[in-house]
Amino acid sequence: MDIDNWQWFLERWNAQWTAVRRLTDSEEADEEDLTAGGLGFPPAGERRTAALEQRLGTALPPSYRAFLQVSDGWRHAGSSVYLLAGTGDADWHRDPMGMKALHEEQLDEGSAPSDVLMAGMWERALRLSLDSDMTDVLLDPGDIDENGEWAVYVYKGWSGEYPERYGSFAAFMREAHRKFVADQGDDPRFEDELTRELDASVERARVACLAGEDVDAPAAALGEARSFGRPRARVLREQIDTMLGRVGHLPVPPDMADPMYVREVMPVLALEHCRSGRDDDWFLRRHGEEGREAAKAALAAARERTFRYVSPGAFGRAVDEAREQARWGDADTAWRTLATAVPDWEPYGPEHLAPIGLTADPLLGPLVTPERGRHILTTPRAGHGGRTGTPVVGPERDGGWGLGWVAQDDRPDSSYRFVAVEGFTPRALAERLCGGEPLAPHTERELWRLQHLGGDTRGRCLYRVGSCGGAGDWSFAYDHDPEAYQYGRVRGLGAVVAPGTRSVSVWCERNPVLGRGCTDVFHFSYAEDGETRFTVVARAGAAEATGTAPDGLDPALFGTALFDGAPPVPAAEGTGPGLARDAETRALDAIGAAFGIGLPRFALRQGSLHAAWGPSWIRPPGPGEPVLTFVRRRSAG
């Protein structure tokens, strides 16, 4: 990163620094520096620069040499560096603290070339920092780019961190100037041509983003202004990052009278706080006594997954509709509802760019993937551009409602099971399983944590429940982390099937045994009127079936075909060929086609669904629990 005009660059920095000192309380102002003319020194000139090169025995890197022709040294190059060397004081560092040896002790055969380079830097570097707060500014002649520039390493001895590297002296000075300007960003009195240019770019970026232009250009402009500490840039850029899945600080002051903060910002911050595992005191103190109860409520809603995002106007009504669509798995329709309503979104104020609070909603937040967040940002909204015909609803679909996709998990030990029941709503199925209200919506990861970190779960299993889609009234209970399959003891969830209804149960267990094959099992059963009519268990390359297969299903799909023709192994040996995923996919697709059912891929893999505790498929029922027995019917002959 070069500086084309050092004279202009240094004069502007010096003028800004002088202006800040004039604004500073007189007792804190550095009168000596002001009297000396500011930050700079007289030019070194060619003669003094050449003398330095002769003393050092090497040509200086281009950007440092050009700097010396304008100012022979510099004051306050960053908050910890009070004086940079000119031609009279620049000298080799010579590693007086033995840092090379310390860094070389950490090297091994796998060390990156950059680590090796930095370890040797300490002895050969040119020291530029003459007065500092335990900070070394070092130019490394062993780290040179194609333009002859030496890398600059800044080591803050008090930090305990590795040195910070810059590609050149010019890059170091640009960053030091940037940090100086950023430090003044919260003072409205600090204003000059640069800050006015940056603030104008912020406003242009805000309007461009609301107009639905390609978000990368506004984001870059806001990022540049944010790096100089412009307050509006920070607020706007963090909203873009949140919609793109990169949640940061969201620097909006806590204000319980500000609907943008209460409804949009605080829920996002509360969710991130809960995920971080930090103590709640920090979050509560940030909101003061007047906001303490609201902050407590926000944390509780995030932890218990009860937060409901609200928004004014037509977009808010679409949010309510989409939530109910997503509640039982129809994520694709829910996303379409939201995407269609984006042009009607209304901001709470001029600093509000997008519905960021949506990302904290336990049901709707998972729908807003980074790709879909980008779609929202590139849709004209808040009256900027209006509607332009049929809205495009984004690049991402939920993957459909089939069954075959369940088999396409690339984890070698992926197991799953589900029951699909006709004539039950998802809520009724959940209530039947757990004997009460279903749990709040959970993602797959959240469900795993609840199941494995939530205390004693013996004899109980966790399911996510939803609609099977299609034209029928089927609902499902799905378990992606089932208990170990036990041959001959599987009872299924037949008790939830009332007379006059049908149910389908599938249990697939993949369990590779190192060097011995697999103990994979595929279990399928079909029940009517509370009685099992057909069951098939495929394992060790063989299959056992009882009853009559339902109409439209070829029982051969669930037999040895699942092992792709591999020879069976005696069951006593315990292991055999593994299930063939393509054959498993065909079997699942056949079940789905025969009953007109499916499972929502997006909702189960990336979204949230209500959960329910239910009984084990293999253990004896506990007191008061339904007896999950079924009658086996063997086919005649």
Side-chain angles (χ1 to χ4, degrees):
M1 183 186 299
D2 199 6
I3 294 176
D4 296 329
N5 189 330
W6 277 99
Q7 187 76 40
W8 175 82
F9 174 79
L10 297 178
E11 285 181 353
R12 182 176 67 174
W13 188 352
N14 188 68
Q16 292 168 331
W17 182 86
T18 302
V20 169
R21 287 301 178 268
R22 299 297 184 191
L23 296 173
T24 304
D25 183 82
S26 59
E27 294 182 1
E28 299 180 10
D30 192 332
E31 294 298 333
E32 180 180 348
D33 287 342
L34 287 173
T35 303
L39 301 177
F41 293 88
E46 182 58 32
R47 184 178 60 82
R48 296 181 64 182
T49 305
L52 172 61
E53 292 178 321
Q54 184 177 7
R55 175 165 60 86
L56 298 176
T58 183
L60 295 172
S63 62
Y64 181 55
R65 199 178 200 284
F67 159 78
L68 293 173
Q69 303 308 300
V70 177
S71 180
D72 196 7
W74 194 254
R75 301 179 179 91
H76 300 296
S79 58
S80 300
V81 180
Y82 311 133
L83 183 61
L84 282 181
T87 56
D89 301 298
D91 203 354
W92 300 115
H93 182 242
R94 298 186 178 89
D95 193 19
M97 302 300 293
M99 299 298 292
K100 178 183 178 182
L102 290 176
H103 281 261
E104 286 183 339
E105 288 177 359
Q106 303 176 40
L107 298 178
D108 55 32
E109 293 181 355
S111 296
S114 58
D115 294 332
V116 176
L117 197 65
M118 184 169 55
M121 175 269 300
W122 301 95
E123 284 188 346
R124 64 177 177 256
L126 185 66
R127 177 179 56 85
L128 298 186
S129 47
L130 298 181
D131 185 12
S132 69
D133 180 11
M134 296 179 63
T135 300
D136 288 323
V137 179
L138 306 172
L139 266 172
D140 183 11
D143 188 350
I144 306 177
D145 68 11
E146 65 278 5
N147 298 314
E149 293 288 358
W150 302 2
V152 171
Y153 289 87
V154 178
Y155 176 61
K156 299 175 181 178
W158 43 266
S159 71
E161 299 175 352
Y162 276 89
E164 189 171 3
R165 182 187 181 279
Y166 300 90
S168 67
F169 178 76
F172 161 73
M173 290 292 278
R174 278 193 182 277
E175 187 59 25
H177 172 252
R178 188 188 304 270
K179 290 177 180 177
F180 164 76
V181 176
D183 288 342
Q184 325 308 322
D186 292 327
D187 188 343
R189 300 174 302 169
F190 179 73
E191 180 185 0
D192 71 347
E193 181 181 359
L194 173 62
T195 61
R196 288 190 290 270
E197 289 175 356
L198 291 169
D199 291 343
S201 73
V202 168
E203 179 60 18
R204 288 193 299 270
R206 183 188 75 88
V207 173
C209 188
L210 289 174
E213 296 182 15
D214 180 16
V215 72
D216 292 333
L222 292 171
E224 177 71 5
R226 180 180 61 179
S227 71
F228 280 97
R230 308 316 297 159
R232 292 188 72 213
R234 294 201 300 267
V235 172
L236 297 173
R237 175 58 191 264
E238 290 292 347
Q239 292 178 67
I240 291 176
D241 287 346
T242 298
M243 295 304 294
L244 297 179
R246 303 187 293 265
V247 178
H249 174 57
L250 282 172
V252 179
D255 182 355
M256 309 318 293
D258 178 6
M260 177 181 168
Y261 183 79
V262 173
R263 296 182 178 181
E264 302 277 352
V265 176
M266 187 163 69
V268 176
L269 296 180
L271 180 61
E272 289 304 307
H273 175 84
C274 292
R275 287 173 174 170
S276 73
R278 293 193 298 264
D279 187 271
D280 288 352
D281 284 347
W282 177 87
F283 190 84
L284 298 177
R285 287 198 307 270
R286 185 173 186 268
H287 291 85
E289 286 303 317
E290 67 281 1
R292 187 177 183 85
E293 292 306 313
K296 280 185 178 180
L299 291 175
R303 287 200 174 95
E304 297 166 11
R305 298 168 181 81
T306 57
F307 169 66
R308 288 174 57 93
Y309 176 68
V310 296
S311 186
F315 184 74
R317 293 189 290 273
V319 166
D320 294 338
E321 181 182 354
R323 181 180 293 107
E324 296 310 307
Q325 292 164 341
R327 186 177 302 281
W328 306 114
D330 197 355
D332 192 36
T333 301
W335 165 242
R336 286 179 171 273
T337 298
L338 288 175
T340 302
V342 168
D344 297 320
W345 175 76
E346 301 174 20
Y348 287 116
E351 309 305 319
H352 196 188
L353 268 186
I356 55 175
L358 191 65
T359 64
D361 190 292
L363 278 168
L364 299 179
L367 300 183
V368 188
T369 63
E371 293 80 9
R372 289 171 171 177
R374 178 176 291 272
H375 169 75
I376 291 174
L377 292 171
T378 53
T379 298
R381 57 200 181 279
H384 291 258
R387 293 184 179 272
T388 56
T390 303
V392 179
V393 298
E396 200 172 314
R397 296 289 299 266
D398 71 3
W401 283 85
L403 290 182
W405 67 264
V406 180
Q408 301 305 313
D409 196 321
D410 57 4
R411 292 171 293 189
D413 58 346
S414 57
S415 302
Y416 60 87
R417 64 184 174 187
F418 64 87
V419 59
V421 183
E422 185 182 34
F424 275 73
T425 66
R427 180 177 291 279
L429 178 57
E431 291 172 349
R432 189 68 175 268
L433 285 173
C434 64
E437 283 289 313
L439 302 177
H442 284 69
T443 64
E444 187 177 74
R445 177 177 296 182
E446 291 166 347
L447 198 75
W448 186 94
R449 291 179 60 84
L450 179 62
Q451 187 168 11
H452 293 276
L453 304 178
D456 186 5
T457 61
R458 287 175 295 180
R460 298 193 301 165
C461 301
L462 262 176
Y463 306 91
R464 286 197 289 168
V465 293
S467 168
C468 287
D473 56 349
W474 291 72
S475 297
F476 70 84
Y478 181 90
D479 181 3
H480 83 284
D481 187 23
E483 59 203 320
Y485 187 92
Q486 296 186 30
Y487 179 73
R489 294 188 58 187
V490 178
R491 295 175 294 106
L493 298 180
V496 302
V497 183
T501 65
R502 299 179 293 170
S503 73
V504 169
S505 298
V506 173
W507 188 342
C508 178
E509 177 171 281
R510 291 185 179 276
N511 191 18
V513 180
L514 185 63
R516 296 175 50 200
C518 300
T519 58
D520 293 359
V521 178
F522 188 92
H523 178 116
F524 166 67
S525 63
Y526 166 69
E528 287 184 15
D529 299 327
E531 295 183 351
T532 297
R533 304 299 177 90
F534 178 71
T535 298
V536 61
V537 179
R539 66 188 184 114
E544 301 175 18
T546 60
T548 302
D551 293 341
L553 274 182
D554 180 1
L557 288 170
F558 308 101
T560 57
L562 286 167
F563 301 98
D564 216 11
V569 176
E573 294 187 13
T575 60
L579 290 166
R581 291 195 187 272
D582 288 346
E584 182 187 344
T585 300
R586 287 191 293 271
L588 290 171
D589 282 339
I591 296 170
F595 296 100
I597 61 175
L599 296 174
R601 181 171 191 163
F602 186 96
L604 285 170
R605 285 291 181 262
Q606 295 174 256
S608 288
L609 287 169
H610 284 282
W613 286 104
S616 166
W617 288 34
I618 57 176
R619 71 165 177 82
E625 290 184 347
V627 179
L628 307 186
T629 59
F630 53 74
V631 178
R632 293 189 180 275
R633 295 177 179 268
R634 294 186 179 273
S635 58

